[in-house]
Amino acid sequence: MGKDYYRTLGLSRGASGEDVRRAYRRQALRFHPDKNKEPGAEERFKEVAEAYDVLSDPKKREIFDKYGEEGLKGGAPTSGPGGSNGPTFTYTFRGDPHAMFAEFFDGRNPFDTFFVQRNGDDEDGDDAFTAFHVGGFGSVGFPRGRGGPEGACRKQDPPVLYDLKVSLEEIYSGCTKKMKISHKRLNPDGKTVRNEDKILTIEVKRGWKEGTKITFPKEGDQTPNNIPADVVFVLKDKPHGVFRREGSDIVYPAKISLREALCGCTVNAPTLDGRTIPMVFKDVLKPGVKRRIPGEGLPYPRTPDQRGDLIIEFEVKFPDRIPPSSKTLLEQILPV
């Protein structure tokens, strides 16, 4: 059975030309060997290119729709004065999938952008390269260099990681961080280097989780023989004086006396935006028990208009000693 180019791109047969373009973009980014190191990615990348080459050309697509891959490559008849006895059309994919990729993006590098990895919280599971642009694409092409001396010897340096420490208040509201880095850059002669300072701006979104990675591609040191490393900032929560973070929930440790634990109490629970919520508890509160205040935690990363919970975690303070008279009374009152 021949290849199904529609299936390769994840399309139905009625797909429009724009659908074909979008599908090629998604699949080519997904399987590009510069980003996808899994076995078979290179072959899938070539198959995606061939499928796009056929389905983006009305004449090739018409023949494929009628006769399939066998007819397309085996010499399908074309319409003419003689009907089906007209001249035949034979197709062989001889294109360079990397050149097609570069042409599709107008010689601009789609990977040379500011993108965020959310530890599995990708908005689009099929597209691992959803991007937030730093300042638009550069005007320099990005040939892969297969077979050329430059591509064969130059490798990208490993990523350079930095901690980006943020407070819970900054995660609650979102903030802008400006990070100054110093890196080496090539001079116009292509041989000598200079030191250069640069300010990188990071828009910390509301609710971002610890471990979120913000990548600035190729902002590492540049030399004549390397591809600069990516600079990666990894979000880290600063320790907080009041709360503890658990995902999108925040935990408030409430210290109460043994009497309050047994007889009930009122806890004035603070919030991240400076309010105080009085909570009345009349039941027995055991050490470690938790009570939730819905919607008073941190924003959810995907839906920042919704928030996690404020969790009150009770710590019961036991007395160091009890007077003998009180012990007798407690023995009479408390159950065995």
Side-chain angles (χ1 to χ4, degrees), residues 109-183:
N109 186 349
F111 301 126
D112 191 14
T113 56
F114 167 51
F115 59 89
V116 177
Q117 299 171 339
R118 294 185 177 86
N119 297 337
D121 286 344
D122 295 324
E123 297 287 341
D124 183 352
D126 286 337
D127 187 350
F129 305 106
T130 302
F132 302 88
H133 301 284
V134 174
F137 296 114
S139 59
V140 181
F142 61 106
R144 182 165 167 76
R146 288 187 174 270
E150 184 178 0
C153 64
R154 293 175 68 229
K155 292 184 178 180
Q156 186 173 21
D157 293 339
V160 180
L161 303 180
Y162 295 99
D163 287 346
L164 178 65
K165 295 184 178 181
V166 293
S167 67
L168 291 184
E169 286 81 4
E170 289 173 325
I171 293 297
Y172 179 85
S173 303
C175 65
T176 299
K177 294 282 189 179
K178 293 186 180 294
M179 313 299 291
K180 182 178 180 180
I181 64 168
S182 296
H183 56 188

Side-chain angles (χ1 to χ4, degrees), residues 20-131:
V20 172
R21 282 184 59 83
R22 283 199 297 263
Y24 170 74
R25 181 186 187 280
R26 181 172 61 251
Q27 299 292 1
L29 287 170
R30 181 180 182 183
F31 292 110
H32 195 289
D34 276 354
K35 288 295 181 181
N36 192 330
K37 305 301 181 183
E38 295 180 0
E42 176 85 31
E43 188 59 34
R44 288 295 301 274
F45 183 65
K46 293 178 182 177
E47 292 174 359
V48 167
E50 181 178 337
Y52 179 66
D53 187 55
V54 172
L55 297 184
S56 62
D57 184 295
K59 182 177 180 181
K60 297 173 190 174
R61 181 174 179 177
E62 180 183 3
I63 295 172
F64 175 74
D65 287 346
K66 289 182 178 179
Y67 304 104
E69 185 203 12
E70 295 88 345
L72 183 69
K73 295 182 176 180
T78 59
S79 59
S84 61
N85 295 323
T88 59
F89 177 92
T90 303
Y91 169 77
T92 303
F93 180 64
R94 295 190 178 91
D96 180 350
H98 297 284
M100 178 183 291
F101 186 82
E103 181 181 354
F104 183 86
F105 288 100
D106 297 325
R108 301 175 300 184
N109 186 349
F111 301 126
D112 191 14
T113 56
F114 167 51
F115 59 89
V116 177
Q117 299 171 339
R118 294 185 177 86
N119 297 337
D121 286 344
D122 295 324
E123 297 287 341
D124 183 352
D126 286 337
D127 187 350
F129 305 106
T130 302

